[in-house]
């Protein structure tokens, strides 16, 4: 595959993992997952991880995967590029995994004394990527190995933090997010 094709393939494959956290920012609120419980004097997860945000984020990513699968033949033809499609298990794995990765990061932030909204450089940009890839590996193993070849994984790990910084910066400037990370 040409480099450009690898980048297009990788970004398309990761879209169902990119959308959930942004959907959660728009849709979040209500009852926190940890129900207000603490561990070691600090919140288990904090008020930033809610049932509603997690559910809507997961649904948004899964539905996007289904839409991308419908659109793939047409867009592939228009771009003259090859694009991945998603089974429901693949889309759900990426979307739910992205939310789980973000939740896991909040758990680590609270354990290391970081309050809600505090930055954790590195973790903030890659938590959802690791979560999404691991979860998709479990829910759709053969799809995963066909879709995420080594060069594709390299593109994902390099490009995602850049995209994350840009999208969160925009969300912050638009007043949708309290912090630009
Ligand atoms: N959100 C949510 N449920 C999730 C993830 C996010 O409701 N599972 C919403 C919350 O309103 C949250 C906002 O999206 O405040 C921004 O998400 P994020 O930056 O991940 O959370 P923070 O509030 O910064 O909290 P933390 O320090 O735990 O990351
Ligand atoms: K986060
Ligand atoms: Mg935050």
């Amino acid at each position: 595959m040409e480099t450009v094709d690898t980048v297009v393939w990788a970004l398309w494959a990761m879209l169902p993992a990119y959308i959930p956290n942004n959907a959660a920012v728009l849709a979040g609120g209500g009852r926190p997952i940890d129900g207000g419980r603490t561990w070691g004097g600090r919140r288990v997860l904090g008020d930033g991880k809610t049932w509603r945000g997690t559910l809507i984020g997961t649904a948004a990513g899964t539905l996007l995967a289904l839409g991308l699968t419908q659109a793939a033949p047409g867009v592939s033809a228009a771009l003259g590029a090859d694009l991945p499609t998603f089974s429901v298990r693949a889309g759900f794995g990426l979307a739910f995994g992205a939310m789980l990765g973000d939740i896991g990061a909040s758990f680590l932030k609270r354990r290391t004394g970081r309050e809600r909204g505090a930055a954790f450089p590195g973790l903030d940009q890659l938590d959802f990527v690791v979560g999404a890839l691991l979860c998709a590996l479990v829910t759709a193993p053969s799809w995963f190995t066909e879709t995420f070849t080594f060069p594709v994984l390299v593109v994902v790990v390099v490009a995602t933090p850049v995209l994350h910084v840009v999208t969160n910066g925009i969300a912050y400037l638009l007043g949708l997010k309290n912090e630009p990370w």
Side-chain angles (χ1 to χ4, degrees), residues 5-102:
D5 296 337
T6 308
V7 172
V8 171
W9 174 282
L11 296 182
W12 183 278
M14 284 301 284
L15 275 174
Y18 289 157
I19 291 307
N21 295 283
N22 296 301
V25 172
L26 298 177
R31 195 175 144 73
I33 295 170
D34 68 10
R37 278 182 283 273
T38 59
W39 189 32
R42 296 191 177 272
R43 288 286 295 275
V44 177
L45 301 173
D47 284 332
K49 305 297 118 157
T50 69
W51 289 107
R52 194 168 80 207
T54 307
L55 192 80
I56 293 180
T58 304
T62 308
L63 288 175
L64 178 72
L66 299 179
L68 291 174
T69 299
Q70 296 299 311
V75 180
S76 294
L79 293 180
D82 205 15
L83 295 172
T85 57
F86 305 85
S87 60
V88 175
R89 297 172 70 97
F92 173 80
L94 288 172
F96 186 54
M99 298 269 51
L100 283 184
D102 175 60

Side-chain angles (χ1 to χ4, degrees), residues 21 49 102 105-106 109 124 127 164 177 181:
N21 295 283
K49 305 297 118 157
D102 175 60
S106 289
K109 286 185 190 179
D124 281 324
D127 51 12
H164 186 266
K177 236 179 161 279
W181 46 78

